[in-house]
Amino acid sequence: MAAMQYNFKKITHVPTAKDFIDVVLSRTQRQTPTVVHRGYAITRIRAFYMRKVKFTQTSWNEKLTRILEDFPRVDDIHPFYSDLLNVLYDKDHYKLALGQLNTAKNIIDKIAKDYVKLLKYGDSLYRCKQLKRAALGRMCTIMKKHAASLAYLEQVRQHMSRLPSIDPNTRTILVCGYPNVGKSSFMNKVTRADVEVQPYAFTTKSIYVGHTDYKYLRWQVLDTPGILDRPLEERNTIEMQSITAMAHLRAVVLYIVDASEQCGFTIKQQADLFHSIKPLFSNKPLVIAINKVDQRRLEDLKPEDAALVEGMRAATRGPAALQLGDDEELPCMSTLSEEGVMDVKRVCCDKLLAARVEQKLASRRAGEVLNRLHVAMPKPRDSRSRPAVIPHSVAINRAKKASGELPPMITEKMLQEENGGAGVYSADLRKNYLLDDDDWKYDIVPEIYNGKNVSDFIDPEIEEKLAELEREEEELEAAWEREKAEEEMEAESDMDEDDKELLKRLRSKKATMIAEHRRKKSAGNNAANMPRTADPERRATTTRMKQSLGEMGIDASLAVKRARERSASRVGRKRERSTAAMDDAEDMDAEDGEGEKKRAHSSKSRSVSVARRTARADKSPGSGLRNDDERMRAQKLADKAQRKANKRAKIGEADRQIITKMPKHLFSGKRGIGKTDRR
């Protein structure tokens, strides 16, 4: 039997009745013609409205059919899923909801068929329109009546999409037992699942699936909710999920017993539960595992409790059981310290493999396969015994390696690990070259240019000649430096102390000018002209200019006089402008001329701006802020404001994108008859 996989996550969404009606009618409005005139021929009017009715009926049919096909049929799926649906959702209610939708689909088809017949004999535009409205109205009314079924199916779909993906026919370990005996802890230890574990009962409320590997095979481990020892009709939905899994899945059943009784149930109660659900284990391998042995060992049990455990152990021996020892038939473990957990897993897997092999051999199909197989067995040609023989040289080498006489073989892997590992070590490929002389392996490969060996045209003494030229050049430079120093010393020897001091200053000034020139040149002359306010120390004064130029022997009296005259005239103009602005402000009400008002306004604004600029320069030149703290705070605020624009890859606030206000695909016209491109 082929493995059946059910993917309940692909079930289509079930809309509410209102949304369902809106979707279908909106689709009819968008994908059918919407313009009809009274002047059309009556046949054209009939065809227009018949198309509306048929299209609406087709939409209902397609969507309802999709829903009915996506939901699984209870009678066609695996009995495990069939009973699980019955436990979780009530099989009768589920079938009734799907049956109502199927009935609604058939009624809508019949309504469309009847009204299309009536539309064929419509005698006017008004009558055809009313028939169309009646048809669509009756279809919508039918769906409104099934609003409860649609809402129920949507809840079922959401819950089914959250069900675990369980393969009923694969190798499965089914873990069961009383609540809080350690089922989820065992699953977390042997699989990659992460089931919630809490120290109270019924932490696990549904079936969880995990996967593990054993003997290169993939195994499915199911963690079932805990069950209590009570009649079947009194069990709740959580317990019935476990009962369904035990009844229908072909798996090895692992019944976990809490030897410490910390779960809140005695060993007698656990034994009674085992015997009450024992009929569910028929024809299935069964393993009893004792958990929490770190709290209470098996040999520490009371005699009556030990007898109960032995009674459960005897029930595990069946036709599918392996011939294992006593210790393996009743494995003990502790999920807290992980003692014996892997042994329990091994015993379960071995039992299930043996049972599956025995079941396959017992089937008729296995016999048919064995009849087609032929195993050829060689016939002995004589009575001599010919055991397997190791060659003498191989045996000697093995003995030498074992005794240490032969050095161990050094592999490329070892060299790689010794020399930095992968990505750092570079394998030596030349050591395996097969050449007449091993000394040739690392020779330099000649470079050929225009069919000639480049090394043939290289002077063998080129490096010595180059070194000689460099040494000769260094000697010439040293001689030139000495001559220059001697000339300077001779020139300075003829000078007095004042001339030497002046020469020293000139050289210093020259070096400063050269450095400043190089700095400006490297900046590409891209530095802005700094304003007068950028000299807060007031170092650039006429006094300093006169002093510095005087030291260089330049008369700066005329330049100082010209600078002072300009400053005096500028101050005078400022005072005149400020006085005129005040006079204009006082006489503004008396004057009616528009030009006078403009002049007063402009002069006042100029004086205010000059005053502000002066005040700014006194406090913090060029920034408009009082001190460095405010300047740093303003810079941080500016950077923070720019951060949002940077995330959107924009230069600043002005870099904005104007999207299309009316996208064509949303505001284009309807498709006409015979056209498929509505854009």
Side-chain angles (χ1 to χ4, degrees):
M1 182 178 179
M4 290 182 288
Q5 291 286 348
Y6 304 101
N7 189 1
F8 297 138
K9 295 179 176 61
K10 289 187 177 180
I11 300 176
T12 185
H13 169 69
V14 181
T16 61
K18 184 178 181 302
D19 293 342
F20 214 159
I21 293 170
D22 291 343
V23 167
V24 173
L25 295 184
S26 175
R27 185 183 178 194
T28 302
Q29 181 69 8
R30 284 186 292 106
Q31 299 191 8
T32 57
T34 56
V35 179
V36 64
H37 297 292
R38 194 180 300 275
Y40 286 170
I42 189 64
T43 53
R44 185 174 179 182
I45 295 173
R46 292 169 183 166
F48 177 87
Y49 285 109
M50 281 193 291
R51 181 177 179 183
K52 292 270 189 184
V53 175
K54 288 180 180 178
F55 190 88
T56 307
Q57 176 263 332
T58 305
S59 299
W60 284 116
N61 191 291
E62 290 176 355
K63 293 186 177 299
L64 291 173
T65 302
R66 173 76 183 277
I67 293 173
L68 293 172
E69 289 179 352
D70 284 353
F71 276 93
R73 295 188 179 183
V74 178
D75 299 332
D76 296 343
I77 60 177
H78 193 275
F80 165 69
Y81 278 113
S82 177
D83 280 7
L84 191 62
L85 291 178
N86 186 27
V87 169
L88 295 175
Y89 319 119
D90 187 359
K91 186 188 300 184
D92 295 335
H93 193 180
Y94 176 76
K95 282 186 172 182
L96 184 63
L98 291 177
Q100 287 177 346
L101 290 189
N102 189 35
T103 303
K105 183 187 74 168
N106 295 332
I107 293 176
I108 288 174
D109 293 345
K110 188 174 182 303
I111 289 173
K113 184 177 181 181
D114 293 343
Y115 274 89
V116 166
K117 285 183 180 179
L118 294 175
L119 280 168
K120 287 182 180 179
Y121 300 99
D123 55 357
S124 65
L125 174 64
Y126 176 77
R127 194 178 300 276
C128 292
K129 181 178 180 179
Q130 294 305 106
L131 287 173
K132 186 266 297 185
R133 289 186 62 186
L136 269 60
R138 287 190 60 186
M139 294 178 187
C140 295
T141 303
I142 292 295
M143 293 310 301
K144 285 181 181 179
K145 291 181 179 178
H146 296 88
S149 298
L150 293 172
Y152 168 76
L153 287 176
E154 173 60 16
Q155 293 180 359
V156 171
R157 183 198 68 83
Q158 293 179 4
H159 194 280
M160 291 179 68
S161 65
R162 292 190 290 267
L163 286 178
S165 180
I166 300 173
D167 186 359
N169 300 306
T170 191
R171 293 167 293 274
T172 306
I173 300 175
L174 185 64
V175 187
C176 63
Y178 258 104
N180 208 26
V181 296
K183 301 185 294 298
S184 300
S185 301
F186 172 78
M187 183 173 178
N188 289 341
K189 297 297 181 184
V190 301
T191 70
R192 292 178 286 273
D194 186 14
V195 185
E196 183 182 6
V197 177
Q198 296 293 344
Y200 50 81
F202 287 108
T203 305
T204 304
K205 296 183 176 62
S206 61
I207 300 176
Y208 287 90
V209 182
H211 294 85
T212 186
D213 295 326
Y214 180 72
K215 289 187 176 180
Y216 302 102
L217 297 174
R218 176 59 59 88
W219 294 73
Q220 183 176 251
V221 183
L222 299 185
D223 178 20
T224 61
I227 52 180
L228 302 176
D229 185 16
R230 52 186 177 182
L232 187 65
E233 58 273 8
E234 295 181 7
R235 289 195 168 103
N236 56 23
T237 304
I238 298 176
E239 296 175 89
M240 287 304 298
Q241 295 181 55
S242 300
I243 298 297
T244 303
M246 287 186 285
H248 294 291
L249 293 179
R250 295 192 304 172
V252 55
V253 179
L254 174 61
Y255 187 83
I256 297 180
V257 178
D258 184 4
S260 67
E261 299 182 351
Q262 291 180 350
C263 61
F265 303 96
T266 62
I267 293 181
K268 184 179 186 309
Q269 289 176 314
Q270 298 179 57
D272 293 341
L273 174 63
F274 173 80
H275 291 294
S276 66
I277 62 175
K278 184 180 175 182
L280 298 173
F281 305 149
S282 59
N283 300 324
K284 292 186 180 70
L286 180 60
V287 175
I288 305 294
I290 308 300
N291 192 19
K292 302 183 183 179
V293 293
D294 56 332
Q295 300 293 328
R296 189 179 183 186
R297 290 283 175 180
L298 188 61
E299 53 270 14
D300 298 337
L301 294 178
K302 299 177 182 178
E304 56 271 18
D305 292 339
L308 294 173
V309 172
E310 185 62 30
M312 291 188 288
R313 176 185 182 182
T316 61
R317 296 188 178 93
L322 290 175
Q323 299 300 322
L324 302 173
D326 291 343
D327 294 337
E328 292 184 333
E329 286 226 11
L330 188 62
C332 300
M333 65 176 177
S334 171
T335 55
L336 181 63
S337 61
E338 300 187 15
E339 175 190 353
V341 173
M342 292 299 113
D343 293 337
V344 173
K345 169 187 168 182
R346 178 180 54 78
V347 171
C348 293
C349 295
D350 289 342
K351 275 203 170 188
L352 183 60
L353 283 177
R356 289 170 70 94
V357 170
E358 184 177 349
Q359 185 179 8
K360 288 181 180 179
L361 291 176
S363 64
R364 186 175 62 181
R365 184 180 177 185
E368 294 175 356
V369 174
L370 289 176
N371 291 334
R372 293 198 298 268
L373 296 178
H374 172 68
V375 180
M377 299 297 294
K379 295 180 180 179
R381 60 188 179 185
D382 51 29
S383 59
R384 292 181 58 185
S385 175
R386 293 181 174 84
V389 178
I390 299 176
H392 182 65
S393 61
V394 175
I396 292 175
N397 288 336
R398 287 184 179 179
K400 288 182 177 180
K401 287 182 180 179
S403 61
E405 297 180 11
L406 285 180
M409 182 180 296
I410 300 176
T411 62
E412 246 354 274
K413 183 74 172 178
M414 297 178 184
L415 293 175
Q416 174 179 302
E417 297 300 329
E418 291 176 0
N419 295 280
V424 178
Y425 171 72
S426 179
D428 185 7
L429 302 179
R430 295 190 180 188
K431 65 182 180 182
N432 297 322
Y433 286 0
L434 300 177
L435 301 175
D436 294 339
D437 189 353
D438 289 341
D439 296 337
W440 297 349
K441 290 182 179 179
Y442 297 98
D443 288 350
I444 299 175
V445 179
E447 183 178 352
I448 306 298
Y449 180 73
N450 291 335
K452 298 179 181 179
N453 190 348
V454 177
S455 60
D456 294 340
F457 299 91
I458 296 177
D459 189 352
E461 300 178 357
I462 186 69
E463 294 183 359
E464 290 79 0
K465 292 180 179 179
L466 178 61
E468 182 66 27
L469 286 174
E470 290 178 350
R471 185 169 57 254
E472 183 179 349
E473 186 176 356
E474 290 176 357
E475 291 177 356
L476 291 174
E477 288 182 356
W480 181 79
E481 291 288 344
R482 287 195 299 271
E483 291 177 2
K484 185 176 180 182
E486 290 175 359
E487 291 176 359
E488 291 179 354
M489 290 176 63
E490 290 177 0
E492 291 180 1
S493 62
D494 299 337
M495 298 180 184
D496 54 6
E497 294 298 328
D498 295 338
D499 293 340
K500 290 182 179 179
E501 183 68 22
L502 180 60
L503 180 60
K504 183 178 180 182
R505 291 180 182 178
L506 288 174
R507 286 176 178 173
S508 175
K509 184 68 175 179
K510 182 180 178 181
T512 305
M513 293 174 67
I514 291 173
E516 183 68 16
H517 173 71
R518 288 176 179 172
R519 184 189 63 78
K520 291 181 178 180
K521 189 176 180 180
S522 64
N525 295 326
N526 198 26
N529 294 327
M530 300 302 291
R532 184 73 175 90
T533 56
D535 185 17
E537 294 86 3
R538 299 294 182 182
R539 300 189 52 168
T541 60
T542 55
T543 304
R544 281 181 172 274
M545 181 180 69
K546 183 177 180 181
Q547 181 181 357
S548 61
L549 292 177
E551 291 174 354
M552 291 188 291
I554 300 173
D555 185 10
S557 58
L558 295 177
V560 172
K561 181 180 178 182
R562 185 166 56 253
R564 288 177 177 173
E565 289 176 354
R566 287 183 179 177
S567 177
S569 62
R570 190 180 300 112
V571 171
R573 284 198 302 272
K574 286 182 180 178
R575 289 177 179 173
E576 290 174 3
R577 281 200 299 269
S578 61
T579 305
M582 291 173 64
D583 296 340
D584 292 340
E586 292 174 357
D587 300 338
M588 189 172 292
D589 295 336
E591 294 180 359
D592 297 329
E594 186 178 354
E596 295 295 332
K597 292 182 180 180
K598 290 183 178 178
R599 186 169 66 253
H601 178 72
S602 62
S603 63
K604 182 179 180 181
S605 63
R606 281 198 298 272
S607 63
V608 171
S609 64
V610 171
R612 286 179 181 169
R613 188 168 64 248
T614 307
R616 244 191 348 255
D618 292 339
K619 293 176 183 177
S620 181
S623 65
L625 300 171
R626 288 178 296 187
N627 48 34
D628 292 339
D629 293 339
E630 286 195 0
R631 189 183 303 108
M632 291 299 295
R633 185 164 173 265
Q635 184 63 35
K636 288 182 180 179
L637 291 175
D639 294 343
K640 186 176 181 181
Q642 183 66 18
R643 202 171 298 161
K644 186 175 182 181
N646 291 343
K647 286 185 178 180
R648 301 176 64 183
K650 292 188 175 184
I651 299 173
E653 295 177 355
D655 184 11
R656 61 195 182 94
Q657 177 186 7
I658 302 175
I659 61 174
T660 306
K661 293 183 179 179
M662 296 179 64
K664 190 171 183 181
H665 71 281
L666 292 179
F667 293 92
S668 60
K670 303 294 185 293
R671 284 195 288 179
I673 298 177
K675 288 192 176 181
T676 57
D677 185 7
R678 58 189 175 87
R679 298 189 181 183

